[in-house]
Amino acid sequence: MRQQFEEHPEIDPDDPLVVIQAAAETGQVSDLETYLAQFQASPTGIIPIKTPDRLVMIKVQTIVSVEIQANLLCLYTTGETVQTRDTLRHFMQRLPGTTFVQVSKHGLLNLDHLRSLEDSFSGNMTAILANQVKADVSRKYVKNLMQRLGI
């Protein structure tokens, strides 16, 4: 990855514009977008989640996996499952750190809770996480996951 700085006096110095240029939108581009979105986020380690009847404070390190099920965002933590009406993309932007990786169009997992990976159908994989939570890894996202694991 190359970097280049260009000075533009018309841009507000307190609100820089970052443009990512690439041949295609790859996992590395997505990771960079996520990193930039989190750059100014306060690293409190807690994310407030609005449910239909309350506001729940979730410690980020307790989140095992996240997936969309029937228009609800389901957060599987080490202690409970929390459902909210949010998009996966918006939730990913709220996450601090880089321990989360998208593994399908509808899910992501916390690498700190990953126990093992098993082969599944047609190039897909199944991730076994803490508390015996399972997550499907789409073949489209397997390469990115392996890169994040250093394999």
Side-chain angles (χ1 to χ4, degrees), residues 33-72:
E33 289 173 332
T34 301
Y35 175 79
L36 290 172
Q38 297 167 3
F39 179 74
Q40 291 182 330
S42 62
T44 61
I46 295 177
I47 294 182
I49 304 295
K50 186 173 177 20
T51 67
D53 57 349
R54 61 191 170 126
L55 188 65
V56 181
M57 301 300 170
I58 303 288
K59 290 183 181 179
V60 175
Q61 72 263 17
T62 66
I63 300 172
V64 176
S65 69
V66 180
E67 69 180 16
I68 295 289
Q69 288 184 358
N71 297 327
L72 289 175

Side-chain angles (χ1 to χ4, degrees), residues 4 44 49 55 107 110 122 132 134-135:
Q4 177 180 332
T44 61
I49 304 295
L55 188 65
N110 186 340
S122 303
Q132 296 302 311
K134 293 184 179 183

Side-chain angles (χ1 to χ4, degrees), residues 26 42 50 61 91 97-98 120 129 146:
T26 63
S42 62
K50 186 173 177 20
Q61 72 263 17
F91 182 77
T98 58
S120 189
L129 303 154
M146 293 303 172

Side-chain angles (χ1 to χ4, degrees), residues 21-122:
Q21 296 180 335
E25 190 169 344
T26 63
Q28 188 177 22
V29 170
S30 179
D31 290 346
L32 184 56
E33 289 173 332
T34 301
Y35 175 79
L36 290 172
Q38 297 167 3
F39 179 74
Q40 291 182 330
S42 62
T44 61
I46 295 177
I47 294 182
I49 304 295
K50 186 173 177 20
T51 67
D53 57 349
R54 61 191 170 126
L55 188 65
V56 181
M57 301 300 170
I58 303 288
K59 290 183 181 179
V60 175
Q61 72 263 17
T62 66
I63 300 172
V64 176
S65 69
V66 180
E67 69 180 16
I68 295 289
Q69 288 184 358
N71 297 327
L72 289 175
L73 186 72
C74 298
L75 284 80
Y76 299 97
T77 70
T78 54
E80 64 182 328
T81 300
V82 178
Q83 295 182 337
T84 185
R85 293 211 174 269
D86 197 359
T87 64
L88 186 63
R89 184 175 210 70
H90 180 257
F91 182 77
M92 286 174 59
Q93 291 174 347
R94 295 176 57 203
L95 287 171
T98 58
T99 61
F100 289 87
V101 62
Q102 188 167 2
V103 292
S104 68
K105 186 169 74 171
H106 60 276
L108 60 117
L109 58 84
N110 186 340
L111 293 174
D112 290 341
H113 293 282
L114 180 62
R115 301 289 181 248
S116 65
L117 288 168
E118 299 175 353
D119 287 332
S120 189
F121 302 104
S122 303

